[in-house]
Amino acid sequence: MKKAWYVFKIILSVLFFGFLALSIVFLIMLAYQDYTKSANDNTFSIGDTIKNVTAIFTCITASLSLYLASTNKRDSEKNRIINQENGIIQNWYNALIIERHLDNILTFFDDCSKLVDIFEEIDRKRESISYSEYDNKCKEQVIRPFTTQYTELQSKLISDASVIDTSLSTSLCNEFTKFQDNFLEQIQVKTPDYNKMKTYIIESQKQVVILIKDFNLRTMK
């Protein structure tokens, strides 16, 4: 619909300026004929010439003024509609993303850092317990809490973000999926780097917050 309206406006502008150009040419021809006739009849008058030129100039300026006024009115209406749409999007964004999820996002990543501490404590006892006990502790105390909290946050956030903007929803989904894969992968390695895990958690939190902030800035422009 927007593309069709854009094409229609272009066609309308071309027709208007074409008509204006033809009108100017026609008026010039009439003025020239009038001048030629006056010259042949020896009735040429500089006053008449000025009147003819003035009439042409008045017609041109009136047409241009009408077109500019019409264009400004359409642009003003378009800007008003855009501002209204942005205002509506901003209100929904605040309610669905900022107020509903931002605190949960920050809490989730903080809890992930705490899970790393728990994982580190379990890993220290790896040599003194059986593999099955170690595996069960990792699953019960690290993987399961992480998966539960991740699933609850991610599913609701992505669903709400899709209502606001598809690209925002996709970007958040990709960021969370990448974080989940990396976090669970680090649980499986033989010699985990706990500091590296915590650094990655902080970086992932930052990337998610940046996505939310940048979209918020775009809607405010």
Side-chain angles (χ1 to χ4, degrees), residues 106-170:
L106 300 178
T107 299
F108 167 73
F109 284 105
D110 286 344
D111 288 346
C112 286
S113 293
K114 295 176 183 177
L115 290 176
V116 173
D117 292 334
I118 295 173
F119 176 54
E120 183 178 7
E121 183 65 27
I122 295 172
D123 201 46
R124 285 200 188 101
K125 301 176 181 178
R126 180 184 294 194
E127 300 299 329
S128 61
I129 59 178
S130 65
Y131 175 78
S132 60
E133 185 178 357
Y134 169 80
D135 188 53
N136 287 334
K137 283 180 178 292
C138 288
K139 288 180 180 178
E140 291 297 323
Q141 299 181 35
V142 181
I143 297 177
R144 181 173 294 178
F146 170 80
T147 303
T148 299
Q149 195 170 356
Y150 169 87
T151 302
E152 182 178 2
L153 172 64
Q154 192 259 13
S155 60
K156 291 180 180 178
L157 174 62
I158 302 308
S159 177
D160 287 345
S162 66
V163 175
I164 304 298
D165 184 79
T166 303
S167 62
L168 173 64
S169 175
T170 301

